[in-house]
Amino acid sequence: MPSFGPSSAMVGRDADLAGVFRAFEGAVEGTPAALLVEGEAGIGKSRLLREFAAHVADRADVHVGWCLDLGAARTPYGPLTGILRSLVSTVGVDEVREAVGVGAEALGMLLPELVPVPTDRERTSPERLRDAIATLIETAASRAPQVLIVEDLHWADESTLAILSFLLRTLTRGRVLLLLSCRSDDVRRGDAVSRFIAEATRARLLDRIALQRLGTDAVRALAEQITGHPLSEGALERVQERAEGVPFFVEEIAGCTAGPLPDGLRDILLGRFDRLGDDARRVVQVASGAERPLAHPLLARLAALGEERLDDALREAMGIGILVISDDLYRFRHALLREAVHADLLPGERSRLHRAYAETLEEYCDDTESGDAAALAYHWQLAQDERRALIAAVEAMRHAKARFAFGAAARFGELALDLWPQVPDAADAAEVSHLELLHALGSILRNAGDGERALAVANLALDEVDPVTIDPRLHARLLRNKALYLVNLGRPGAIPLLLQALAIVDERVDDDQLRAELLNQLASRRMIAGDRVEAIAIATEAAEAAERAQSDDQLSIAANVRGASRAHLGDIEGGIREYTLARDLARGSTAEMRYRVNYSDLLGLLGRYREALLLAEEGLARSRLFGVERTSGSIMTQNMVVPLLERGEITRVEELLARDFMQGTLRVFRMYATMTRVRVLAWRGRSAEAAEAMREWLPAFEETGAVERQIWYDRVVMAVAVAESAGDPRGALAAILAMIDDEGPVLLHQRRLLLQAGAIIAELRAAGDDVSEASRAVAAAWAAQSAQLRAGTWSVILDALLVPTAETLDEAIDLADGEDVPVTFRVVSRIERARMLVHAGDRAAAASLLADAETIADALGHVQLQAAVAGFATAAGLRAGGEDESALLTARERQVLALIAEGLSNRQIGERLFISVKTVSVHVSAVLRKLGVSTRTEAALAARASAVLS
């Protein structure tokens, strides 16, 4: 940790420091934590972190990185490179390579010393880079607690923020403490840093410590430490009046208490500078132009004073407290000092200084850490040399893109666009045409997650197109990209653009690979819109082009599209054959994850939940092999959520949603996650929150649902879940009946909704509603499916709910306990059978069945079903008038109670009954509740007293 700063002891920050230590102690115990230390300039954020780091240096590895002030365009991964290099130094290169595996190539893009030859971008991916960074941190944390400090977050680039956001959601275990400092008055509302802080805080991934100004007593203590003598009341009042409790200003003013105080903030900050000699002033002015700490060789070249004069000047600047040395680099004691000195330069002085920096970096870039494209763009822009700034900006864009720093690349691309009109020979200077620049920038923005700006750039490019003179391949790609951006935003218009691009390729471009890609994209859009027959025909044409191009990836994608289309047409066997072909063609390629995501989704729609989860879990294992477990693998994880929910694993679903890997992704992916979130909120009985989430996203669902049929169905799913959770079964049924009446294409998504209609109809029938017409409509919709879809478990359960008999409901109960039926129907079928038993006068059997339903509902934590069980029990009088509670015990609960009476533990009971300890715990809780007792001993006594065991 750097040892610069004032020698006085820190005052007034005991409570804040204690807060950091609390987070550290939790991290030492294995619970990662993240803290944002925020406050105005000069408030003492860095000082607090230095004090903390000094205290824990013997207990943890501390790694520090600084975000750099490069104006609007910022250095990619600014603070992370230094932190990663420090981590590698701690762990060791060989161990790092072994730990990150294939991710070493990706890390080599930031740390070239990790790889023997420069990393080929095509051989890695942004997903591998993020995964490798997380793995590196976890590896270090397995050796010792790790403290990662990111200073000056207000200057962070988007790529750094994306990595930090990813780490906050990924590092759920290990001895890691992430500390961020941020100058709150430099964070603009709505910018990337502001959004990062807001989202991380809202998701409870980041705690915040806001440093306040010092009180009078603390100001006195700090000032007297600096001056070395007590302050008079008058002197203290003058310090407090000017410094207003800001520690840095107190330090600057304290030495002036005996004489006149500076008039304003600028004068305060320049007070030390004005006392320097000429050489020291020059050195400090030169240093003020640097965007980062300066190495001695670079400073020597820029200052041009000779070694002895330079050394003397540096000693003077350090002696007066302006410059300090950190890790053999020169830097300002405080960023406010650098800003004040730089702002004091005349415009001509400032321009010449930055020209000198740029020229020196270009000439000696191999000898300095500052010699990168981002720094050159920054200095040439401030030197007001538009041509060379344009060249540097385009190079910086390419460099950032090559390192997957898409946010930073976008900033440099936009800077290049701004500079373009000011450079007469811009295309020659940048070695790229304006259209090619726009094409590249649109793709970069899309990868950065900014779909709106990507679309705006695509429109700008297409407005400039001259169909006669443009390269037809570029024209087709511009059209294809705009189509992709519209899809990402969930908006209509993609299909006409793809058709136009295909027409250009067919007429003017001999490229089967590009043609296969366009045809597959068009087939996908047709399939998602519900035009399944057309999708199959286009995908078949795509496969023919892919065959000629010898592209297994595109052949796999074509089979993938055909498989989904055939399945949604009702040809399940044909669809599965196509998916098998897609799998065989995709093995080990980028198309494999697409196959796994889409096929597991199909299995979920068919109610084959166990297979869907198995396929997804295998996909996760493959993503680990590819080094993308936390990124591309996270999409597979999200694909597991619906099968998990249908199987009743609600806690696991909530854990996945809490980690929210989809944060910051494009809108269409957020919509899928929103549908699941609404269902989970409804499941937990948080109906108001579910309704609010649906209202917030409803306009997006309606817009996208017009072109993506599955999103249209997701909107219906949300409406049903919200209505049921709010106690409005009629509204829920109305939404399903409206779905049945809709004239749009029918997809497999309707099956689960029709099954749910059976449960709702049963509830309304019990309440006295006439549901005959609704029953006929649902039965007709079910019967309209293909023969392959009409048979099976779901059909038996739906028939039993629509036309209940003792025999069909008993069979439904048995089937509902199977693996591939939504778990809620275990409760629904039992409630319906209990109703029939009550009407038949068999109250004991009804009570036993209802108790079983109650146990299941409680284990699921499904608030609506718990209420339904309780409501029916009360209405039927099964718990009133001294009804024997023990009659509500299920057969399994009676077995558990008998073993409790024997004095067995939960583990012993599980071994005796061949069930898990967790299941035993659920049964024990149910027994205690139903018997109205609080301990196992009381349960055993109550059982003997009521002769339950006889």
Side-chain angles (χ1 to χ4, degrees):
M1 192 69 187
S3 58
F4 55 83
S7 58
S8 57
M10 186 173 66
V11 301
R13 298 294 183 222
D14 291 348
D16 302 309
L17 189 59
V20 182
F21 270 105
R22 281 194 296 273
F24 174 71
E25 296 301 337
V28 169
E29 294 299 320
T31 303
L35 282 179
L36 174 69
V37 179
E38 57 187 330
E40 61 189 299
I43 202 67
K45 303 176 292 294
S46 295
R47 180 66 188 279
L48 178 73
L49 296 182
R50 286 198 301 273
E51 291 284 336
F52 165 74
H55 277 89
V56 301
D58 60 343
R59 300 179 59 197
D61 298 326
V62 180
H63 314 277
V64 188
W66 284 267
C67 301
L68 304 177
D69 181 9
L70 284 181
R74 297 167 182 176
T75 302
Y77 307 114
L80 297 178
T81 304
I83 290 175
L84 295 175
R85 186 163 283 120
S86 179
L87 282 162
V88 170
S89 176
T90 299
V91 176
V93 171
D94 291 340
E95 188 172 338
V96 168
R97 288 175 180 157
E98 182 180 353
V100 302
V102 295
E105 275 195 314
L107 267 184
M109 303 178 72
L110 303 185
L111 308 176
E113 61 269 27
L114 276 181
V115 291
V117 295
T119 298
D120 180 358
R121 182 179 187 273
E122 299 303 318
R123 294 181 57 185
T124 186
S125 67
E127 291 82 9
R128 281 188 180 175
L129 176 60
R130 292 195 289 270
D131 258 66
I133 290 172
T135 300
L136 171 57
I137 294 170
E138 288 178 342
T139 301
S142 68
R143 299 160 54 99
Q146 303 296 305
V147 177
L148 313 181
I149 300 178
V150 175
E151 289 270 29
D152 299 325
L153 187 73
H154 47 278
W155 289 326
D157 66 289
E158 287 89 340
S159 308
T160 293
L161 296 173
I163 293 290
L164 291 175
S165 181
F166 173 73
L167 293 176
L168 289 176
R169 289 168 167 79
T170 301
L171 298 176
T172 58
R173 63 184 184 278
R175 298 176 292 174
V176 181
L177 174 61
L178 176 62
L179 297 175
L180 313 172
S181 74
C182 183
R183 192 190 293 181
S184 52
D185 41 356
D186 272 7
V187 176
R188 296 185 301 276
R189 183 177 181 180
D191 72 0
V193 175
S194 174
R195 292 195 301 273
F196 164 80
I197 293 173
E199 290 169 358
T201 303
R202 185 166 53 248
R204 299 180 180 178
L205 301 172
L206 184 67
D207 292 323
R208 301 166 73 169
I209 296 178
L211 299 189
Q212 305 301 318
R213 295 184 176 188
L214 300 179
T216 302
D217 291 343
V219 168
R220 179 192 293 276
L222 179 57
E224 289 181 350
Q225 284 186 52
I226 293 169
T227 61
H229 57 76
L231 290 187
S232 67
E233 290 302 321
L236 176 62
E237 185 177 345
R238 293 164 69 199
V239 172
Q240 184 70 306
E241 179 183 353
R242 295 295 176 85
E244 296 182 328
V246 177
F248 178 67
F249 298 152
V250 173
E251 294 170 0
E252 295 299 295
I253 294 171
C256 305
T257 54
L261 291 180
D263 292 330
L265 174 59
R266 176 181 173 278
D267 295 325
I268 293 172
L269 294 173
L270 293 176
R272 294 174 187 263
F273 175 75
D274 291 339
R275 297 198 295 274
L276 295 173
D278 290 344
D279 284 354
R281 287 167 64 91
R282 169 153 181 78
V283 168
V284 170
Q285 286 176 329
V286 167
S288 76
E291 79 287 355
R292 67 189 77 190
L294 280 167
H296 186 85
L298 179 57
L299 182 57
R301 291 187 188 101
L302 289 164
L305 290 176
E307 288 298 329
E308 289 187 6
R309 287 174 62 191
L310 176 62
D311 289 345
D312 290 341
L314 284 167
R315 284 195 178 92
E316 184 179 353
M318 289 187 290
I320 205 168
I322 294 179
L323 296 181
V324 295
I325 296 178
S326 168
D327 298 328
D328 291 329
L329 299 173
Y330 299 108
R331 63 187 299 132
F332 279 82
R333 181 168 66 85
H334 199 285
L336 287 175
L337 286 170
R338 185 187 75 83
E339 294 164 14
V341 172
H342 193 257
D344 193 50
L345 294 171
L346 296 172
E349 290 178 311
R350 193 177 302 120
S351 177
R352 289 192 299 274
L353 175 60
H354 286 287
R355 176 174 291 276
Y357 264 98
E359 290 174 344
T360 304
L361 292 179
E362 285 187 340
E363 185 176 358
Y364 299 102
C365 61
D366 290 339
D367 300 327
T368 73
E369 290 191 6
S370 296
D372 59 45
L376 284 172
Y378 168 72
H379 288 299
W380 280 125
Q381 186 183 16
L382 291 181
Q384 299 179 29
D385 189 325
E386 288 82 7
R387 189 176 193 276
R388 295 170 90 169
L390 171 64
I391 295 170
V394 171
E395 179 59 26
M397 179 190 76
R398 290 170 175 156
H399 181 69
K401 178 185 177 183
R403 299 165 75 191
F404 308 120
F406 297 113
R411 283 181 178 259
F412 287 115
E414 291 174 337
L415 173 60
L417 285 182
D418 290 340
L419 292 167
W420 195 278
Q422 304 171 50
V423 181
D425 63 337
D428 290 336
E431 298 181 348
V432 63
S433 72
H434 197 243
L435 273 177
E436 289 169 334
L437 175 61
L438 290 170
H439 177 244
L441 179 56
S443 176
I444 287 167
L445 285 165
R446 185 259 177 185
N447 282 313
D450 196 337
E452 292 288 357
R453 286 162 72 199
L455 180 59
V457 168
N459 286 330
L460 184 61
L462 288 170
D463 288 343
E464 291 186 11
V465 165
D466 180 348
V468 176
T469 60
I470 189 176
D471 175 1
R473 183 178 274 100
L474 176 59
H475 192 185
R477 285 173 174 161
L478 286 170
L479 291 164
R480 176 200 62 189
N481 284 5
K482 180 179 178 180
L484 176 62
Y485 306 154
L486 288 170
V487 169
N488 294 153
L489 292 169
R491 292 180 184 164
I495 288 177
L497 290 165
L498 291 170
L499 288 170
Q500 188 179 348
L502 272 168
I504 292 170
V505 170
D506 287 344
E507 182 179 348
R508 303 178 60 191
V509 180
D510 183 15
D511 187 338
D512 280 321
Q513 177 70 27
L514 178 57
R515 191 167 188 274
E517 291 173 8
L518 291 169
L519 284 166
N520 269 331
Q521 288 168 355
L522 180 60
S524 295
R525 300 322 305 162
R526 292 292 195 193
M527 183 267 292
I528 287 173
D531 301 330
R532 294 145 297 175
V533 174
E534 181 71 9
I536 292 171
I538 296 171
T540 300
E541 190 178 353
E544 293 168 358
E547 189 75 48
R548 292 192 297 271
Q550 298 183 336
S551 173
D552 283 352
D553 273 11
Q554 293 303 318
L555 280 167
S556 174
I557 292 170
N560 200 318
V561 173
R562 290 197 304 265
S565 299
R566 293 191 193 283
H568 283 291
L569 284 169
D571 181 9
I572 306 304
E573 295 174 358
I576 291 174
R577 284 196 299 271
E578 294 281 12
Y579 272 116
T580 301
L581 175 61
R583 178 199 63 200
D584 294 341
L585 289 165
R587 290 188 190 278
S589 75
T590 55
E592 181 178 339
M593 292 300 287
R594 180 170 183 160
Y595 150 74
R596 290 185 177 279
V597 168
N598 290 349
Y599 189 41
S600 64
D601 181 59
L602 172 63
L603 292 172
L605 291 172
L606 294 173
R608 293 162 62 171
Y609 302 129
R610 183 184 60 80
E611 292 176 73
L613 286 171
L614 179 61
L615 186 66
E617 286 166 352
E618 289 174 353
L620 281 177
R622 296 287 288 171
S623 71
R624 294 185 195 106
L625 179 64
F626 296 146
V628 294
E629 177 185 1
R630 299 176 177 89
T631 46
S632 294
S634 70
I635 299 174
M636 183 66 73
T637 301
Q638 287 290 336
N639 221 48
M640 295 165 58
V641 166
V642 170
L644 285 170
L645 187 64
E646 298 290 16
R647 287 166 62 94
E649 298 184 46
I650 183 68
T651 302
R652 190 175 172 191
V653 171
E654 288 172 326
E655 289 171 353
L656 291 174
L657 291 179
R659 293 174 70 183
D660 192 15
F661 282 109
M662 307 295 282
Q663 185 271 339
T665 56
L666 297 163
R667 186 176 74 159
V668 69
F669 297 118
R670 298 295 299 164
M671 291 166 69
Y672 297 131
T674 296
M675 182 271 291
T676 306
R677 179 169 171 264
V678 167
R679 288 189 66 189
V680 169
L681 289 170
W683 183 297
R684 290 301 197 187
R686 295 158 64 180
S687 56
E689 293 176 63
E692 178 58 31
M694 184 176 71
R695 278 194 299 272
E696 178 186 351
W697 279 86
L698 193 56
F701 274 86
E702 290 176 343
E703 179 182 36
T704 305
V707 291
E708 294 198 16
R709 190 65 174 173
Q710 61 195 41
I711 290 290
W712 183 88
Y713 276 106
D714 286 347
R715 182 182 61 81
V716 180
V717 170
M718 288 195 302
V720 171
V722 168
E724 286 196 282
S725 179
D728 181 18
R730 294 178 183 85
L733 183 59
I736 296 175
L737 294 175
M739 172 197 74
I740 294 172
D741 291 339
D742 187 85
E743 296 180 355
V746 175
L747 302 186
L748 292 171
H749 297 69
Q750 77 153 4
R751 287 171 51 81
R752 178 64 179 86
L753 286 160
L754 292 176
L755 186 62
Q756 190 63 27
I760 299 169
I761 286 171
E763 181 182 356
L764 290 173
R765 183 194 303 115
D769 286 24
D770 181 0
V771 293
S772 55
E773 186 175 343
S775 295
R776 286 192 293 271
V778 171
W782 192 268
Q785 300 178 108
S786 70
Q788 295 179 43
L789 292 169
R790 287 197 302 271
T793 299
W794 286 20
S795 292
V796 174
I797 293 173
L798 180 60
D799 287 345
L801 293 172
L802 294 179
V803 186
T805 66
E807 292 76 14
T808 58
L809 282 172
D810 285 340
E811 184 180 6
I813 289 171
D814 289 339
L815 293 174
D817 287 343
E819 282 189 321
D820 287 338
V821 176
V823 70
T824 54
F825 284 86
R826 297 179 185 178
V827 179
V828 168
S829 57
R830 283 170 168 80
I831 292 176
E832 184 66 6
R833 182 69 176 103
R835 290 185 182 118
M836 186 171 287
L837 288 168
V838 168
H839 286 300
D842 191 348
R843 296 175 60 80
S848 178
L849 200 57
L850 197 62
D852 201 10
E854 183 178 38
T855 298
I856 297 169
D858 288 346
L860 294 176
H862 196 295
V863 172
Q864 177 196 337
L865 291 178
Q866 289 172 316
V869 172
F872 175 60
T874 301
L878 294 179
R879 293 183 179 174
E883 184 84 20
D884 184 3
E885 286 282 357
S886 66
L888 291 177
L889 293 182
T890 65
R892 176 66 83 184
E893 287 165 357
R894 291 169 188 264
Q895 289 178 311
V896 169
L897 181 56
L899 297 176
I900 289 173
E902 290 182 25
L904 272 61
S905 68
N906 283 5
R907 181 172 299 280
Q908 291 169 324
I909 293 173
E911 292 171 353
R912 184 79 64 87
L913 298 179
F914 301 99
I915 57 179
S916 71
V917 175
K918 183 177 179 180
T919 301
V920 173
S921 178
V922 171
H923 287 309
V924 170
S925 297
V927 168
L928 297 180
R929 185 186 64 255
K930 293 175 183 180
L931 294 180
V933 298
S934 57
T935 68
R936 299 162 75 96
T937 301
E938 291 174 335
L941 291 173
R944 294 191 185 98
S946 58
V948 172
L949 301 178
S950 61

